[in-house]
Amino acid sequence: QNKHLFKDKIVLDVGCGTGILSMFAASAGAKHVYAVDCSSIIDSAKKIVEINGFKDQITLIKGKVEDIELPVETVDILISEWMGYFLLYESMLDTVLYARDKWLAPNGLILPDKAILYIAAIEDAHLKHERIDFWDNVYGFDMSVIKDAALREPVVDVVDAKNVVSNAYPILKLDIKTCTKKDLAFSSRFAIKAKRNDYVHGFVSYFDCAFTHIHKPLGFSTAPHARYTHWKQTIFYMGETLTVCENETIEGEISCRPNKKNPRDLDIELYVNFQGQHSKKDGTMDFRLR
């Protein structure tokens, strides 16, 4: 689909990995593709590109996007699989934005061009016990010190759609064509409503990506109800359990910014305010995604 968008276009693939996106672009009729990656995977990508007959159509460049120069002044299309866990963890979005500002033509395309990050409440008693509460009694020993540390680390795993207790609320919306690096550190208030009487052990976050500036817009989701992806979902467990009734609202605010010592890690602060019929909570939890 959308082959006409690539016909005779100059394409830049940021973080090309094995070169799969570059070969898709070349197959769609791109005039030339410049594929950049700073890791050793690009050595394998060169062999893959040659084996598949794209040696003259795809130029592979080893190095950081910020350090290299292209043999062209502008590119027509910028493609990249930049997304990480929780959308932003170890993502290459800041590098994509650098490439956009340096090389993308004024009317050029970025694929994908939109991303939305969501949060929802989940019931997860069984897995929370295995991952967190387990440390309260390990063969008769109190190891709750480790439990406190475990609570501070979000869990990246698959969440069953039936465990989602509330609606999902968008906490970050990014337009890759216009956003800046400053937008990647964010703070967002949210309000989610319970869909049924249940218990809440934590919160799940996931993201959607979309290609909106193409002939027939399309996208994909990493939500619990969607097809499995390697991004899975990101879970933030609470120390306590909330007893919620249908239509009760959990309010809060989530803030995210790169860790000062290691910018690849994310410091996430989650404030929760719940005044329900059977339980209440008003407090802040600190997490570090690493």
Side-chain angles (χ1 to χ4, degrees), residues 171-206:
I171 53 175
L172 178 66
K173 296 181 180 180
L174 292 174
D175 182 339
I176 315 305
K177 192 71 182 290
T178 60
C179 71
T180 67
K181 189 174 180 178
K182 290 182 179 179
D183 296 324
L184 308 187
F186 70 92
S187 183
S188 174
R189 296 193 62 82
F190 63 86
I192 49 181
K193 185 175 291 187
K195 297 186 290 185
R196 60 180 182 264
N197 293 349
D198 212 325
Y199 302 96
V200 173
H201 299 95
F203 299 87
V204 62
S205 186
Y206 61 88

Side-chain angles (χ1 to χ4, degrees), residues 38-194:
C38 64
S39 73
S40 59
I41 189 66
I42 202 163
D43 298 324
S44 297
K46 288 179 180 179
K47 297 176 183 177
I48 293 170
V49 165
E50 185 172 356
I51 289 171
N52 286 277
F54 293 111
K55 183 179 180 181
D56 297 330
Q57 201 176 352
I58 300 175
T59 298
L60 293 115
I61 303 170
K62 186 174 185 178
K64 294 180 64 177
V65 167
E66 294 84 353
D67 297 335
I68 61 119
E69 291 295 335
L70 297 180
V72 294
E73 291 187 3
T74 61
V75 299
D76 302 301
I77 300 175
L78 194 160
I79 58 177
S80 179
E81 186 192 322
W82 54 264
M83 300 77 71
Y85 300 135
F86 190 64
L87 186 62
L88 300 177
Y89 175 63
E90 289 192 336
S91 83
M92 296 186 299
L93 184 51
D94 54 343
T95 299
V96 171
L97 300 185
Y98 177 91
R100 176 200 69 188
D101 295 341
K102 185 170 183 178
W103 288 298
L104 188 65
N107 295 318
L109 291 177
I110 297 182
L111 303 173
D113 62 282
K114 297 287 195 306
I116 303 178
L117 184 64
Y118 295 90
I119 193 168
I122 59 168
E123 183 281 322
D124 202 15
H126 176 69
L127 290 180
K128 187 196 172 196
H129 176 76
E130 288 186 352
R131 294 163 172 157
I132 308 295
D133 298 334
F134 162 81
W135 296 106
D136 284 333
N137 187 332
V138 182
Y139 302 109
F141 299 104
D142 183 348
M143 301 184 72
S144 56
V145 171
I146 296 178
K147 175 182 177 179
D148 294 338
L151 273 171
R152 287 176 49 84
E153 293 196 14
V155 175
V156 176
D157 204 349
V158 175
V159 172
D160 194 317
K162 68 176 182 289
N163 287 4
V164 179
V165 175
S166 74
N167 64 307
Y169 192 97
I171 53 175
L172 178 66
K173 296 181 180 180
L174 292 174
D175 182 339
I176 315 305
K177 192 71 182 290
T178 60
C179 71
T180 67
K181 189 174 180 178
K182 290 182 179 179
D183 296 324
L184 308 187
F186 70 92
S187 183
S188 174
R189 296 193 62 82
F190 63 86
I192 49 181
K193 185 175 291 187

Side-chain angles (χ1 to χ4, degrees), residues 270-289:
L270 180 59
Y271 167 70
V272 175
N273 183 2
F274 177 66
Q275 305 299 318
Q277 179 181 348
H278 301 300
S279 64
K280 303 181 187 302
K281 177 177 175 62
D282 186 357
T284 300
M285 298 162 286
D286 293 314
F287 299 90
R288 184 171 177 183
L289 188 54

